Amino acid sequence: MVEDRRLAVLRAIVEDYVRTEEPVGSRALVERHRLGVSPATVRNDMAALEDEGLIAQPHTSAGRVPTDKGYRMFVDRLTTLKPMSAPERRAIANFLDGAVDLDDVVQRSVRLLSQLTRQVAVVQYPTLSSSTVRHVELVTLTPARLLVVLILSSGRVEQRVVELAEGSAGGPDVDDVEAGVADLRPRLLGAVVGKRIVEAAAALADLPGQVREEDRTLTTRVAEALGDAMSDHSAEGRIAVGGTANLARYGDSFDSAVRPLLEALEEHVVLLKLIGEATAGGAVTVRIGAEGPYHELSSTSVVATGYGPAEAPAALGIVGPTRMDYPGTMVAVRSVARYVSRILDDA
Amino acid sequence: MVEDRRLAVLRAIVEDYVRTEEPVGSRALVERHRLGVSPATVRNDMAALEDEGLIAQPHTSAGRVPTDKGYRMFVDRLTTLKPMSAPERRAIANFLDGAVDLDDVVQRSVRLLSQLTRQVAVVQYPTLSSSTVRHVELVTLTPARLLVVLILSSGRVEQRVVELAEGSAGGPDVDDVEAGVADLRPRLLGAVVGKRIVEAAAALADLPGQVREEDRTLTTRVAEALGDAMSDHSAEGRIAVGGTANLARYGDSFDSAVRPLLEALEEHVVLLKLIGEATAGGAVTVRIGAEGPYHELSSTSVVATGYGPAEAPAALGIVGPTRMDYPGTMVAVRSVARYVSRILDDA
DNA sequence: GATTGGCACTCGACGCGCGGGAGTGCCAGA
DNA sequence: TCTGGCACTCCCGCGCGTCGAGTGCCAATC
């Protein structure tokens, strides 16, 4: 009973503080939330909540502010995620359905997510480790230069340029190269098409032994380039960031909060780590304030989730101040992730 | 003589103000710049400069600050660009030489530029209107779905998925499609390979009439997709932005300066326009404060230049506060543009 | 035992007044 | 044309007093 009301008070404090950005006092609380008790009672509850470390006051005789622990409690115990309204869902679907290719899907997702949440959005490109090789194309640009194009089932295309000239003085003969390429092409396709990236990469190693002596250098170079392209983008996905303009809404605490965040946003590796923990399971993960390893980001929270195929999920989410609308943000993140997953399935 | 000294005073004011970020007074000026005259004389010069609108004082009895017009004069008449030192050049070369493909070149350029200038860097992807079609590849993903890959001489790769199923109830027959593709492939290559994008797009229009009746739908769809891919990225280049963290150094005037800038940075069209004026000629262009059409950006300057082939240059540059080190920034922009151009030539 | 009203207390926000000091403008003399 | 001197302006920082929101605690009440 009493315990219940205390949690209600906590919830009210979080909600008001998120809205007003100002410490909230006992009177304002009872006025806005019909708690059915007097300010004095709320004060007692507040004292108890403060003892538990869930709220704090910036200075004596100021209102209360939720601590990280308080937000955590709020998110874990006090949040019920309402599904989005039908019009909202339709808007999301419309926005994402216009995408023409994978790049576009990611770009649109970032944009959408940042607009929905009014925070900085981060979307990881789908990881490719589980995608398969759809096609490989060899194009001779010049006699001494070969373009290798790798097309994956995810729709992703990687390309590498292979130099053949170095070493031999005058560069190789045009016809030799063409002949070599013609010989190599079917073997290459046979070796890798349809396989998962890891397996395809392994199969590449055997290729040089299977071709004519004079094509060995060519084959080795091509295999290297392909292996490079495969490992490059299977290991860790690239990242798209959007909605940086929302940082301008960080009213106070600019230096302490925005500067390190701007730096983190450029360090894609850090970002990846931040949102990457969220890929497991279907749930939306929330990291609040200093809970993570980056103490510079102690006043920012991360709301993220995985999307895409269950066996190789990518991450997507937002980064914002600890003082944020968690329920709304979580719903938005979840919705976008679902729609993007669906689109990727269809593609 | 007198005129010369006045300009020297202006230069000194600009230099000091850029360094200290504070209005500069007559005494400090003579102390730091060995002008050979007394503060009183400098004061007279300052009054004259103020009459000409080149400097202003934030309030009575404060030091002077350059106006946009003052910066303009400084840039136009008082700036001699020193070439970068050998080690600096080598550092740039090293940094850019590691790039593996076009994307990487652009990414690295943005990064390099933002680090050199400590400003927000913007690099336009090379425009493709003048590049030629190197290769087109058709890959059947499923019987009802075809992947069209367009490879350009610039190293850029575009892809589109073509749906064949809609309309016909059960979807087309596998063999039919394969046959159609086999028939189409050589015609397609013959029609577009080696041509500039514009010409290739025109040639596409004639294709459907040249194939067998039963392949007409297929051909039309493919031609549409290719045309789409061509026009999409020939009209206006994409843009890469980096060094946003440098915005955190905007000491004062955060709301008035950083917010609109952050917004502009997300509007790539606006950015393109900002730096795009700079493509003509080899020179570095400087837009100072409100000289441009965007009055929200009245306290920011743009330093940009063209790079790449003379007949179809792309733009690259930085955006920063009007109070910036113009000579240093201009040299950095110029150097990076030159190196990138060279790399693109080689590739 | 929980709740409530009352009351003293704390402490930041705000407005005000007041030197100090940097910087200017102007003038007379060199 | 330059220079030293001098009066003037006005921002900045400081200290002070007031105000008010908010708390903590206690005794009374349900």
Side-chain angles (χ1 to χ4, degrees), chain B:
Chain B
M1 341 233 63
V2 169
E3 201 55 29
D4 286 352
R5 194 192 52 227
R6 286 204 182 138
L7 289 181
V9 168
L10 174 59
R11 159 187 270 139
I13 291 176
V14 171
E15 285 173 0
D16 273 21
Y17 181 63
V18 165
R19 214 162 33 81
T20 65
E21 199 160 348
E22 270 166 15
V24 13
S26 52
R27 178 164 49 255
L29 216 50
V30 296
E31 278 171 7
R32 268 207 290 272
H33 289 271
R34 318 188 171 267
L35 292 172
V37 293
S38 79
T41 309
V42 172
R43 281 203 287 280
N44 289 331
D45 293 339
M46 282 174 153
L49 288 172
E50 187 161 11
D51 284 344
E52 296 176 53
L54 297 170
I55 58 179
Q57 36 187 351
H59 51 82
T60 332
S61 93
R64 300 311 215 289
V65 161
T67 61
D68 287 359
K69 198 175 163 193
Y71 283 123
R72 166 58 55 201
M73 172 78 84
F74 175 77
V75 168
D76 288 348
R77 307 250 329 253
L78 303 171
T79 298
T80 52
L81 298 187
K82 291 173 205 150
M84 303 202 102
S85 69
E88 285 174 311
R89 303 165 78 104
R90 232 175 295 127
I92 295 178
N94 281 342
F95 193 85
L96 290 181
D97 279 345
V100 299
D101 64 7
L102 182 70
D103 261 338
D104 203 20
V105 170
V106 173
Q107 298 296 343
R108 280 168 187 254
S109 304
V110 163
R111 209 172 177 108
L112 176 61
L113 202 49
S114 67
Q115 283 172 6
L116 283 176
T117 61
R118 307 203 50 184
Q119 309 285 2
V120 178
V122 182
V123 177
Q124 177 186 8
Y125 278 73
T127 46
L128 305 182
S129 56
S130 80
S131 58
T132 56
V133 176
R134 189 98 78 183
H135 192 69
V136 172
E137 186 55 35
L138 302 176
V139 186
T140 47
L141 300 182
T142 71
R145 190 172 271 159
L146 207 57
L147 180 66
V148 184
V149 181
L150 170 68
I151 302 170
L152 299 169
S153 61
S154 61
R156 184 121 209 104
V157 175
E158 288 294 323
Q159 47 183 315
R160 287 291 184 281
V161 173
V162 177
E163 302 282 350
L164 302 175
E166 45 176 326
S168 53
D173 183 71
V174 188
D175 294 336
D176 285 354
V177 172
E178 280 301 338
V181 167
D183 183 55
L184 175 57
R185 188 175 284 129
R187 295 177 194 275
L188 193 55
L189 291 177
V192 299
V193 166
K195 291 191 179 157
R196 287 165 168 252
I197 286 192
V198 201
E199 300 151 6
L204 284 176
D206 300 334
L207 261 190
Q210 300 170 12
V211 298
R212 296 174 304 178
E213 175 69 31
E214 60 266 40
D215 295 336
R216 199 141 300 162
T217 319
L218 169 72
T219 307
T220 312
R221 294 267 166 81
V222 170
E224 273 172 8
L226 270 178
D228 181 50
M230 287 172 179
S231 68
D232 193 12
H233 279 262
S234 66
E236 42 186 25
R238 289 160 55 216
I239 270 192
V241 176
T244 341
N246 291 320
L247 288 178
R249 294 188 305 110
Y250 275 51
D252 51 352
S253 69
F254 178 71
D255 256 29
S256 59
V258 174
R259 187 191 307 270
L261 186 47
L262 273 172
E263 274 158 20
L265 290 178
E266 301 238 325
E267 288 300 330
H268 287 184
V269 189
V270 174
L271 268 190
L272 210 49
K273 251 197 138 156
L274 272 181
I275 66 166
E277 305 159 3
T279 51
V284 174
T285 301
V286 180
R287 188 190 68 76
I288 294 168
E291 288 177 0
Y294 303 100
H295 57 282
E296 310 90 354
L297 299 179
S298 59
S299 56
T300 62
S301 287
V302 177
V303 177
T305 189
Y307 75 96
E311 65 278 11
L316 137 182
I318 64 95
V319 181
T322 45
R323 182 185 56 66
M324 77 163 74
D325 170 18
Y326 289 96
T329 306
M330 292 168 75
V331 168
V333 167
R334 188 178 62 180
S335 302
V336 172
R338 283 185 184 164
Y339 273 96
V340 176
S341 296
R342 191 175 310 170
I343 287 178
L344 290 185
D345 274 352
D346 288 352

Side-chain angles (χ1 to χ4, degrees), chain A residues 1-338:
Chain A
M1 341 234 64
V2 170
E3 200 56 29
D4 285 352
R5 195 193 52 227
R6 287 207 181 138
L7 289 181
V9 169
L10 174 58
R11 159 186 271 137
I13 291 177
V14 170
E15 286 174 0
D16 273 22
Y17 181 63
V18 165
R19 213 163 35 80
T20 65
E21 198 162 351
E22 271 167 14
V24 16
S26 51
R27 178 166 47 254
L29 217 50
V30 295
E31 277 170 8
R32 267 207 290 273
H33 289 272
R34 315 187 175 269
L35 293 172
V37 293
S38 78
T41 310
V42 171
R43 281 204 287 280
N44 289 331
D45 292 339
M46 282 173 153
L49 288 172
E50 186 161 12
D51 283 345
E52 296 177 54
L54 297 170
I55 57 178
Q57 35 188 351
H59 51 82
T60 331
S61 94
R64 300 309 217 287
V65 162
T67 60
D68 288 0
K69 197 175 163 192
Y71 283 123
R72 166 58 55 200
M73 171 78 82
F74 175 78
V75 168
D76 289 347
R77 306 251 329 255
L78 303 172
T79 298
T80 52
L81 298 188
K82 292 174 205 148
M84 303 202 104
S85 70
E88 283 174 313
R89 303 164 77 104
R90 231 173 299 126
I92 295 179
N94 280 342
F95 193 85
L96 290 181
D97 278 347
V100 299
D101 64 5
L102 182 70
D103 261 338
D104 204 20
V105 170
V106 172
Q107 299 295 343
R108 280 169 186 253
S109 304
V110 163
R111 206 168 179 113
L112 176 62
L113 202 49
S114 66
Q115 282 172 7
L116 284 176
T117 62
R118 307 201 52 184
Q119 307 287 358
V120 177
V122 181
V123 176
Q124 177 185 7
Y125 278 74
T127 46
L128 305 182
S129 56
S130 80
S131 59
T132 56
V133 175
R134 188 98 77 183
H135 192 71
V136 172
E137 187 55 36
L138 302 176
V139 186
T140 47
L141 301 182
T142 71
R145 190 172 270 160
L146 208 56
L147 180 65
V148 183
V149 181
L150 170 69
I151 302 171
L152 299 169
S153 60
S154 61
R156 185 121 209 100
V157 176
E158 287 295 323
Q159 49 182 316
R160 287 292 185 279
V161 172
V162 178
E163 299 283 351
L164 302 174
E166 43 176 326
S168 56
D173 183 72
V174 187
D175 295 336
D176 285 353
V177 172
E178 280 302 336
V181 168
D183 183 54
L184 175 57
R185 188 175 283 128
R187 295 177 194 276
L188 192 56
L189 290 177
V192 300
V193 166
K195 292 192 179 158
R196 285 161 170 255
I197 286 192
V198 201
E199 300 151 7
L204 284 175
D206 300 334
L207 262 190
Q210 299 170 13
V211 298
R212 295 174 304 178
E213 174 69 31
E214 59 266 39
D215 295 336
R216 198 141 301 162
T217 319
L218 169 71
T219 309
T220 312
R221 293 263 166 83
V222 170
E224 272 172 10
L226 270 178
D228 182 49
M230 288 172 178
S231 68
D232 193 11
H233 279 262
S234 66
E236 42 184 25
R238 289 157 56 213
I239 269 191
V241 177
T244 341
N246 291 319
L247 288 179
R249 294 187 305 110
Y250 275 53
D252 51 351
S253 69
F254 178 71
D255 257 31
S256 60
V258 175
R259 188 192 305 270
L261 186 46
L262 273 171
E263 274 158 20
L265 289 178
E266 302 238 323
E267 287 300 330
H268 287 185
V269 188
V270 174
L271 267 191
L272 209 50
K273 252 197 137 155
L274 272 181
I275 65 166
E277 304 159 2
T279 49
V284 174
T285 301
V286 180
R287 188 189 68 75
I288 295 168
E291 289 177 359
Y294 303 98
H295 58 282
E296 309 89 354
L297 299 179
S298 59
S299 56
T300 63
S301 287
V302 177
V303 178
T305 189
Y307 75 96
E311 66 277 11
L316 139 181
I318 65 93
V319 182
T322 45
R323 182 185 56 68
M324 76 163 74
D325 169 19
Y326 289 97
T329 307
M330 291 168 75
V331 168
V333 167
R334 188 178 63 180
S335 303
V336 172
R338 283 185 184 162

